Amino acid sequence: MNKIQSPFWVIVRKEVADHVRSWRFIILIAIIALTCMGSLYTALTNIGAAIKPNDPDGSFLFLKLFTASDGTLPSFVIFISFLGPLLGIGLGFDAINSEQNKGTLSRVLSQPIHRDYLINAKFVGALIVIGVMLLTLALLVMGFGLIAIGIPPTAEEFSRIICFIGVSIVYVAFWLNLSIFFSIKFKQAATSALACIAVWLFFSVFYNMIVNLVGKAISPSAMASTYQIISYQKFMLNLLRFAPSMLFNEATTTLLMPSVRSLGPLTMEQVHGAIPSPLPLGQSLMVVWPQLTGLIAATVICFALSYASFMRKEIRSR
Amino acid sequence: MHEPIIELHDLTKQYGKFSAVDRINLTVRKGEIFGILGPNGAGKSTTILMMLGLTDPTSGDVKVCGIDSTRNPIQVREKVGYLPEDVGFYDDMTGIENLLYTARLNRIDEKKAQAKARELLERVGLPLDTKKKAGKYSRGMRQRLGLADVLIKNPEVIILDEPTSGIDPAGVQEFMDLIRQLRDENGLTVLFSSHHLDQVQQICDRVGLFGGGKLLAEVNIEELQSEEHGLENMYNRYFGGGKSHE
Ligand SMILES: Nc1ncnc2c1ncn2[C@@H]1O[C@H](COP(=O)(O)OP(=O)(O)OP(=O)(O)O)[C@@H](O)[C@H]1O
Ligand SMILES: [Mg+2]
């Protein structure tokens, strides 16, 4: 190899190598692989029951692998929405502060590289690892599914699953960026890990409770008009959408259940006359477009925050 | 020999109301070994950070090789090798891998870097043990590896922040000889911060005495050679006490 690599890719390569060799990554991958295999198992044993005679998604047998469950173990999708943040946080929470504490940060940043190379490369490196891992996992699930049910996925199903993985990667990227931001802000890796977990818990547990409380307080009276009720429901839904996990769940549900036509409340007039039939992929993508943009925007905000706090930061050794 | 390489002009760094570095004016010329001598908290490291653009001055400016370190830190860092105080390495990489990583960040050709890294390891007195991870290095070995790391990019200027801390006495002597050799053979300019009077006196051409963020005096060592304990007397005049160490 004679071509001289740009320093950016040099750092990315090192990051990827570091992640892949680290115990942390092996533990994370073990947790995620095990739970996903568990959910695949329950999906397979229940796939017969999952398909009801009138189910408009009935023809999408393969997608059921990702969404079906018998209630004992959550489905693949739920697992990803729950463990994805853990993966992102796990790979990012000590990105910058560990280098600072090891005394390597000032050495690396005194080389002729842009400062943002370092945070970007840390982000890209971890994202490559996460992307490859999620893709492998999805392919594995499909492979096992193929063996078990014996019907290959249609092109449509395959593209839907790939889109689903794409959305999952964006979702994990958000948590990754958030944790990189905290790793810049907090000098102790433990503090930044705690801060990330606090945000995660807030959105996955407390946020719904708070929104419910707000909902109770402002709920319209029984005499309210349809219009009022609908606008109330829309408002509540939009409140919930501030949680990244909500955006993710909406996006993945739409992608993996082609019969979902809208993510808001529908009036009788809108539903009237609509045949419960699956949407083509393009239409489903149109439905989740706002969710996807929301997730990407949240990621970009975290990135902007990291950038702003890192670019002018004083870099002392240790 | 006389063109200025490092120029500080009214350089000031304030943390809140506290001035860590207070209106420092200083010029270091090409090929010089310049010592920054001062007790703990004198502002030595802060001044050095500003030279590399690792922190921004509150006011004043700093130029290295004629380039403004605050505005164009990257160009400065192409020419300057910096050894931070208490340098750290990637623990799970060997010494030579750490050096090669730095070389790659400097866009040095892989083959050349390999050869150069080996040569440097030998030169700073580290065994060419290709298995030992940097995490297992002792403090002094890290410091030596740090010097190799600074040199691998073929710098014009090297800035060493307390490079001898943690090195054993014989090692310090080798270290100093090496620094002088580098200057004599390659025409490197060396900026050397320390609170060891004797070390500074031994290898520096000129010394800046730092205290309380100010440059208290600039001394030409040769001129002081005539007096016995010249620098020591001077140091004591500014900082009191009879101690020259720590
Ligand atoms: N982030 C900061 N906030 C406030 N004060 C600071 C900060 N960083 C450094 N200082 C102060 O600036 C002064 C100069 O610090 P500096 O690290 O430059 O000293 P030094 O001369 O390198 O000392 P030493 O010999 O211990 O390395 C010290 O009094 C220190 O307390
Ligand atoms: Mg210092």
Side-chain angles (χ1 to χ4, degrees), chain B residues 46-57:
Chain B
T46 312
T47 310
I48 289 175
L49 290 186
M50 289 190 278
M51 290 177 191
L52 286 141
L54 291 176
T55 186
D56 291 343

Side-chain angles (χ1 to χ4, degrees), chain A residues 314 316, chain B residues 15 18 20 38-47 85 161-162 195:
Chain A
E314 175 172 293
R316 276 187 189 268
Chain B
Y15 294 106
F18 172 76
N40 295 133
K44 305 183 293 289
S45 300
T46 312
T47 310
E85 50 188 333
D161 199 350
E162 293 175 29
H195 33 68

Side-chain angles (χ1 to χ4, degrees), chain B residues 20-244:
Chain B
V21 173
D22 195 5
R23 277 167 295 150
I24 286 190
N25 287 289
L26 181 72
T27 305
V28 177
R29 294 191 208 94
K30 194 172 167 66
E32 227 174 8
I33 301 184
F34 191 91
I36 295 185
L37 181 64
N40 295 133
K44 305 183 293 289
S45 300
T46 312
T47 310
I48 289 175
L49 290 186
M50 289 190 278
M51 290 177 191
L52 286 141
L54 291 176
T55 186
D56 291 343
T58 311
S59 64
D61 47 43
V62 43
K63 275 189 184 166
V64 179
C65 302
I67 306 161
D68 189 313
S69 304
T70 314
R71 296 213 192 89
N72 299 315
I74 301 202
Q75 281 159 311
V76 170
R77 291 180 207 143
E78 274 168 17
K79 306 187 178 202
V80 181
Y82 165 54
L83 178 63
E85 50 188 333
D86 197 7
V87 63
F89 289 92
Y90 293 110
D91 288 348
D92 46 0
M93 285 156 69
T94 62
I96 205 158
E97 280 169 351
N98 268 295
L99 293 187
L100 289 177
Y101 183 60
T102 307
R104 276 181 223 128
L105 292 182
N106 282 285
R107 298 168 187 269
I108 296 172
D109 180 74
E110 195 74 28
K111 273 227 179 72
K112 276 188 205 148
Q114 282 272 1
K116 178 114 191 167
R118 276 165 198 289
E119 179 205 317
L120 282 173
L121 276 184
E122 209 165 290
R123 212 162 166 188
V124 297
L126 282 176
L128 269 173
D129 183 354
T130 39
K131 291 227 179 63
K132 191 161 193 162
K133 306 272 184 208
K136 302 238 156 58
Y137 276 20
S138 70
R139 171 95 198 270
M141 288 168 82
R142 268 209 312 273
Q143 215 66 31
R144 287 164 190 252
L145 186 59
L147 185 62
D149 185 68
V150 162
L151 294 174
I152 198 153
K153 63 165 135 177
N154 279 321
E156 291 174 27
V157 185
I158 56 178
I159 298 182
L160 312 173
D161 199 350
E162 293 175 29
T164 51
S165 58
I167 301 187
D168 54 66
V172 168
Q173 199 51 51
E174 285 170 33
F175 203 93
M176 308 285 249
D177 291 342
L178 181 57
I179 290 174
R180 178 167 281 153
Q181 234 178 30
L182 286 166
R183 191 272 303 269
D184 293 344
E185 287 169 15
N186 310 357
L188 275 179
T189 310
V190 182
L191 191 81
F192 178 97
S193 119
S194 173
H195 33 68
H196 290 280
L197 242 171
D198 45 347
Q199 292 177 11
V200 168
Q201 191 158 21
Q202 190 191 337
I203 65 161
C204 295
D205 304 316
R206 285 195 307 141
V207 178
L209 231 57
F210 276 55
K214 291 197 171 59
L215 178 63
L216 302 173
E218 244 182 284
V219 197
N220 205 326
I221 293 286
E222 258 175 35
E223 287 169 17
L224 278 181
Q225 290 300 340
S226 45
E227 299 175 51
E228 194 156 332
H229 304 303
L231 187 59
E232 196 172 333
N233 287 339
M234 190 147 198
Y235 189 91
N236 291 340
R237 201 172 337 132
Y238 282 110
F239 302 116
K243 287 222 197 102
S244 61

